[in-house]
Amino acid sequence: MQTTKFQKRLFGTNGVRGVVGKDLTPDLVLTIGEALGTMRKGCIAVGRDTRTSGEALVNALKSGLLSTGCDVVDCGILPTPALQYLVKEQFDSGAMITASHNPPEYNGVKIIEADGTEMGDEETLKLEHLIFDLSFCPLLWEHVGYEIHAPHLVQKYIHAIVHHFPDKVGSGMTVVVDPGSGPSCLTTPQILTEMGCRVLTLNGIMDGTFPGRLPEPSSDGLRTLADLVVSCGAAFGVAHDGDADRSVFIDENGRFVEENQEFALIARHICHQKKGALVTPVSTSQIVEIVAKNEGSTIYYTPVGSIYVARTMRSLISEGNEVVFGGEGNGGLIFPDHQFCRDGGMTAAMMVFILSSTGQQLSALINTLPKRTMIKDKMSTSRGAKVLEDIKKIYKNETLDLTDGVKIIRKNSWALVRASGTEPIIRIIIDAECSDCGHDFHSELMDHISIINKE
Ligand code: MG
């Protein structure tokens, strides 16, 4: 099956994002609310992450929705996957004010459909059309919607994850949680505690200035977490991005677990339990495909972006296929028997379950995964389309996958060349069985791109 990626004017792969007061203003968010309220009727759930601009922007959003006749349930501060779960369970649509992993000066809007997935490209194009045309339902006094505050609803999300696993499966396990001052302060520590774990938190007080670390859970930003994991003898540390749809892990020795390895570890466990399809973007390391195939699962590749993964999973199921797992190589994993979106809280809980049921340490499990080398690079260019066309011609006699950019597939390695949708750069990823062949492939490709760029 083929998933098509459409270029949009305002929305990127994960909604609208921008620097507050510059690209993203209350006026724009009001307009998005009016457009969404015109397009989707009924009761809309809204939520936000902990950013300082969140309250101003969520009020603009609600004003737009209410004035176009929608009712609004304000779920307050909560992770994006928590709002997605609630929308799937009981609302007609949803909208989240979040800029995910971006620095504190950013914010954004993510639209959620009734099934809990992010709005797909076709519907987003319709929404953009309304936003640019300013063609909204008029404000009529007798049709204005009503608002309810429901910050307690996040407990339903916590309950759903805890009850997905055997009772107290984490008993005896110590875990350090770093919510990064984001909305998962309200969820992951409680989820793991209710699973029986002894939980210590770091950056566990919500604060939109992110005083402890930036919302992107990079290995550099997680050194304090790593130290704490080792000093308290924890089984692992887990950190989330700014809206907690992603989880990254620190093993019991304080080592950062690369996100593709995290994906492969959980994929191996799930595909061992249940056979079916695994869905992931073309940018994910081969280790995920290797472990999935070893367990008898099949793999489907999509364009880069979790929405394409989620929608492909849904399409495959509607065509009668069994789909067991999905996700991206950045710690954003999708558990289809829970919901069709990336879920950081669920990922943390799954790690507790895997360590408990295997009785092994995280570092030992990681060491049993196939070894791969991944190289990520980028190059500035204003001629992204030409670079891609020429690369396609240069490598025309090799196996190519054109799902998103150009992926050149060799026996023990692959390279992906993509033009960024938001910046004048070309992104390059190499994934190889050995370090030498990865570096050779990288130099070869960079030489070609440099020459094309100078022509
Ligand atoms: Mg995120």
Side-chain angles (χ1 to χ4, degrees), residues 209-268:
T209 65
F210 304 104
R213 66 165 172 90
L214 288 171
E216 172 65 35
S218 65
S219 58
D220 277 352
L222 301 181
R223 292 219 176 103
T224 319
L225 173 63
D227 290 345
L228 190 53
V229 167
V230 174
S231 64
C232 71
F236 67 89
V238 59
H240 297 298
D241 70 322
D243 66 338
D245 54 1
R246 289 160 51 203
S247 274
V248 300
F249 293 92
I250 301 287
D251 75 14
E252 77 284 0
N253 300 316
R255 276 203 307 257
F256 184 83
V257 177
E258 198 276 324
E259 294 95 326
N260 286 281
Q261 291 187 319
E262 164 196 340
F263 189 176
L265 176 67
I266 299 177
R268 184 171 63 185

Side-chain angles (χ1 to χ4, degrees), residues 346-415:
M346 183 67 182
T347 306
M350 183 58 78
M351 188 60 83
V352 170
F353 180 64
I354 291 174
L355 294 191
S356 166
S357 53
T358 60
Q360 293 206 50
Q361 292 188 314
L362 179 51
S363 65
L365 290 171
I366 294 292
N367 282 338
T368 59
L369 291 170
K371 301 283 175 282
R372 300 286 293 190
T373 295
M374 188 173 249
I375 302 165
K376 291 184 180 178
D377 205 348
K378 58 185 175 185
M379 191 182 276
S380 295
T381 179
S382 53
R383 308 161 77 204
K386 177 174 167 47
V387 170
L388 290 185
E389 273 313 305
D390 286 11
I391 289 291
K392 218 189 305 179
K393 282 180 204 151
I394 292 167
Y395 289 97
K396 66 176 189 297
N397 294 325
E398 300 205 36
T399 307
L400 299 182
D401 178 339
L402 305 178
T403 302
D404 193 349
V406 183
K407 188 173 182 178
I408 306 142
I409 303 168
R410 292 179 176 169
K411 190 164 180 285
N412 299 317
S413 58
W414 57 254

Side-chain angles (χ1 to χ4, degrees), residues 14 17 80-81 98-102 110 215 240-246 330 342:
N14 288 297
R17 292 259 176 93
T80 301
T98 178
S100 184
H101 60 277
N102 288 120
K110 194 178 272 192
H240 297 298
D241 70 322
D243 66 338
D245 54 1
R246 289 160 51 203
N330 62 4
R342 296 175 296 184

Side-chain angles (χ1 to χ4, degrees), residues 298-374:
T298 45
I299 189 151
Y300 289 83
Y301 285 106
T302 71
V304 176
S306 66
I307 181 63
Y308 304 108
V309 178
R311 298 218 163 254
T312 303
M313 290 169 83
R314 295 215 67 140
S315 303
L316 286 167
I317 290 169
S318 67
E319 289 162 12
N321 299 287
E322 185 75 31
V323 177
V324 294
F325 196 33
E328 303 177 298
N330 62 4
L333 304 179
I334 304 174
F335 302 84
D337 49 2
H338 169 54
Q339 61 172 342
F340 288 90
C341 69
R342 296 175 296 184
D343 193 324
M346 183 67 182
T347 306
M350 183 58 78
M351 188 60 83
V352 170
F353 180 64
I354 291 174
L355 294 191
S356 166
S357 53
T358 60
Q360 293 206 50
Q361 292 188 314
L362 179 51
S363 65
L365 290 171
I366 294 292
N367 282 338
T368 59
L369 291 170
K371 301 283 175 282
R372 300 286 293 190
T373 295
M374 188 173 249

